Amino acid sequence: MLFFKNDALRPQYPRPSVHPADHVNATDEEKWYVCNQCHQKITQPGFYMNVQGRHEHTYANPSGIVYNIKCFSNAQGYSFLGPASTEFTWFSGHSWRIIICTACLTHIGWHFKSNGGANFFGFISDRLLLVSSSSE
């Protein structure tokens, strides 16, 4: 079952304290991470987020598939695929949900939510491209 998010229903996430506003500069604001398949805008470098001390992580799922993920505090252009789960979570105390690109339905990563309500996105590095707004 797909749960589509639109801009009116999507919760707005505050920028985390680990990501100071002065990290965002004009160059970052002009760049987007887009879906590698269809170029749907997903997130921006200004939303980088450190989780467990790092922005990038490498994990394997129970089937042995290895993923390199990058963590972000905010995103758009995604939908949830299936319910939240705590099975085989990569981040202790967090549930996860698969997220897909709304335009082409490609699996692009996961949304992680802690028991306390804090959340972040873990995007699969090779499923996103970093582009300049002027190159779209």
Side-chain angles (χ1 to χ4, degrees):
M1 177 183 288
L2 292 175
F3 298 95
F4 290 94
K5 295 279 190 184
N6 66 34
D7 288 333
L9 298 175
R10 180 176 328 202
Q12 296 300 309
Y13 304 112
R15 296 173 82 127
S17 59
V18 297
H19 178 73
D22 63 353
H23 175 73
V24 180
N25 59 40
T27 304
D28 285 346
E29 291 174 4
E30 296 169 5
K31 293 181 181 178
W32 280 89
Y33 280 99
V34 299
C35 173
N36 197 24
Q37 294 297 310
C38 70
H39 291 223
Q40 166 88 343
K41 288 181 177 179
I42 303 296
T43 192
Q44 293 183 280
F47 293 116
Y48 282 161
M49 181 176 178
N50 285 331
V51 176
Q52 297 177 347
R54 295 187 326 231
H55 167 63
E56 292 189 49
H57 301 265
T58 301
Y59 292 106
N61 70 10
S63 298
I65 300 171
V66 176
Y67 294 98
N68 182 22
I69 64 170
K70 294 180 179 182
C71 301
F72 293 85
S73 62
N74 203 349
Q76 66 180 39
Y78 69 91
S79 296
F80 292 120
L81 179 63
S85 175
T86 56
E87 292 185 50
F88 306 109
T89 185
W90 294 329
F91 300 96
S92 181
H94 288 76
S95 62
W96 54 269
R97 289 181 82 176
I98 293 172
I99 52 176
I100 59 174
C101 173
T102 56
C104 69
L105 307 181
T106 296
H107 174 214
I108 55 175
W110 298 266
H111 180 257
F112 295 92
K113 185 174 183 179
S114 75
N115 298 334
N119 58 72
F120 64 93
F121 297 87
F123 290 112
I124 303 168
S125 296
D126 64 2
R127 308 269 171 98
L128 298 182
L129 286 172
L130 182 60
V131 298
S132 295
S133 293
S134 59
S135 68
E136 295 179 64

